[in-house]
Amino acid sequence: MARDNKELDSLEYKYKKRRRMAVYKFLASALVLIVFFYLAWLLPRSLPRNLFSGLAGVTIVFLFFKVASILQNSWRIVKHGKSYPQYIYEIGNGLAFFENKDMKMCEEMAAIGYLLTNVTTLGFYKFERALPQECSYSVDISDIKYDAEEFSEYLKIFEGGGWEYICSSGSIHWFRGSKGAVPIYTDNASLALKYEKMRKLSLWCVISGILVAIAFFALSRIFPYPVSLMFLFAMGTGIGLALAMSVGVILNHRLIMRLKKLQNHH
């Protein structure tokens, strides 16, 4: 599928910008990690050492994703600089935090000739090469599973509003509509209900992160030092997940309160 040089340059610029930002975040995180490691080794075996070891684990996970982002975008610059691949995978920003940002990313990809086809459980967006087009994207959260009998009736509601079903990941469903299509949620009450479901999902992730952190902390108490440090770093993964999703819970709670307040005013 032919593309003009302007479109190719735009895609390459996008990847270079993302790689540059990933490098900046990697360097900043590496500095923070050095500080956490230093404090973990300097302090005596106590709660402060456990705390900084856990924080170091959180930073290591973040560094891993930044390295993956740097390598991924470097590979894209080399491979995609002269042609368009059939598929492109993008890492989501997190629906619990930046839903609008993810939807805008999908719209920008459609504009350069890539349509969303799937979203994985880990939040990777899969785009397939197509003709460039202007369209809108939206998500809905429903307890109705995509393989349930009533799911077809559920989809008809959205199809009637001009929204085409794309894919599902658990209870989250993605839709595509024409540019300027009527929003799936047109009133504050239904929108508040959506974010209540989003808050519940985030809360389950917080609980999961806490359970993971507790499990690795227990293991760190069983094994001798310095093996215990490995489990403390792993504990940081659970802490990082719980802290991150706690922000999602708070953000969604604030949105719900704001929408209910607007609803009461009307």
Side-chain angles (χ1 to χ4, degrees):
M1 188 175 294
R3 295 289 195 276
D4 58 36
N5 291 333
K6 185 177 179 180
E7 289 174 333
L8 290 171
D9 290 342
S10 176
L11 187 61
E12 186 175 1
Y13 173 78
K14 181 192 293 287
Y15 293 146
K16 287 183 177 179
K17 182 179 179 181
R18 289 181 180 177
R19 182 179 63 178
R20 185 168 61 251
M21 292 303 299
V23 170
Y24 292 155
K25 292 178 180 179
F26 172 83
L27 293 175
S29 301
L31 180 61
V32 172
L33 179 62
I34 292 172
V35 173
F36 285 155
F37 265 131
Y38 178 75
L39 292 173
W41 283 100
L42 181 66
L43 295 172
R45 185 177 176 85
S46 60
L47 181 60
R49 166 177 279 184
N50 294 340
L51 174 63
F52 286 113
S53 297
L55 290 174
V58 175
T59 311
I60 289 173
V61 174
F62 185 79
L63 280 171
F64 172 79
F65 282 106
K66 292 302 106 180
V67 170
S69 179
I70 293 169
L71 294 176
Q72 181 186 49
N73 284 288
S74 297
W75 176 80
R76 285 171 172 172
I77 292 168
V78 174
K79 185 176 178 59
H80 303 171
K82 298 181 180 179
S83 64
Y84 270 59
Q86 184 66 26
Y87 298 100
I88 287 180
Y89 292 86
E90 296 285 355
I91 301 175
N93 300 285
L95 288 176
F97 316 98
F98 304 109
E99 177 187 342
N100 292 334
K101 193 172 182 179
D102 276 13
M103 297 305 100
K104 184 178 180 181
M105 175 188 70
C106 293
E107 293 172 5
E108 291 176 347
M109 292 298 293
I112 62 174
Y114 282 94
L115 296 181
L116 178 67
T117 60
N118 191 33
V119 181
T120 68
T121 305
L122 296 177
F124 286 88
Y125 287 70
K126 180 181 180 181
F127 298 90
E128 185 174 4
R129 187 174 61 184
L131 290 174
Q133 58 182 276
E134 291 188 351
C135 58
S136 299
Y137 285 88
S138 187
V139 295
D140 184 52
I141 301 175
S142 173
D143 295 331
I144 303 175
K145 302 299 181 183
Y146 68 92
D147 55 351
E149 293 182 2
E150 58 267 35
F151 192 68
S152 59
E153 297 297 324
Y154 166 77
L155 294 183
K156 288 180 181 179
I157 299 175
F158 297 95
E159 291 173 355
W163 291 94
E164 173 192 2
Y165 170 70
I166 304 172
C167 62
S168 298
S169 179
S171 58
I172 305 177
H173 313 292
W174 277 262
F175 295 87
R176 178 171 48 245
S178 58
K179 192 68 174 180
V182 178
I184 290 179
Y185 295 94
T186 56
D187 60 274
N188 293 328
S190 59
L191 194 57
L193 180 60
K194 170 187 173 180
Y195 287 117
E196 283 181 358
K197 294 176 181 177
M198 188 77 76
R199 180 178 62 181
K200 184 182 296 184
L201 287 176
S202 299
L203 185 58
W204 276 113
C205 290
V206 171
I207 295 173
S208 300
I210 292 174
L211 293 176
V212 168
I214 291 174
F216 281 117
F217 179 75
L219 289 172
S220 72
R221 308 303 293 180
I222 296 173
F223 290 86
Y225 181 84
V227 177
S228 61
L229 276 181
M230 296 176 57
F231 292 108
L232 288 173
F233 295 150
M235 179 189 72
T237 305
I239 295 175
L241 174 63
L243 290 176
M245 298 314 299
S246 294
V247 176
V249 172
I250 294 171
L251 290 176
N252 283 293
H253 178 75
R254 291 182 61 184
L255 280 171
I256 293 167
M257 294 299 100
R258 187 184 306 166
L259 290 167
K260 288 183 175 180
K261 186 176 180 180
L262 290 172
Q263 182 183 355
N264 293 332
H265 284 169
H266 291 290

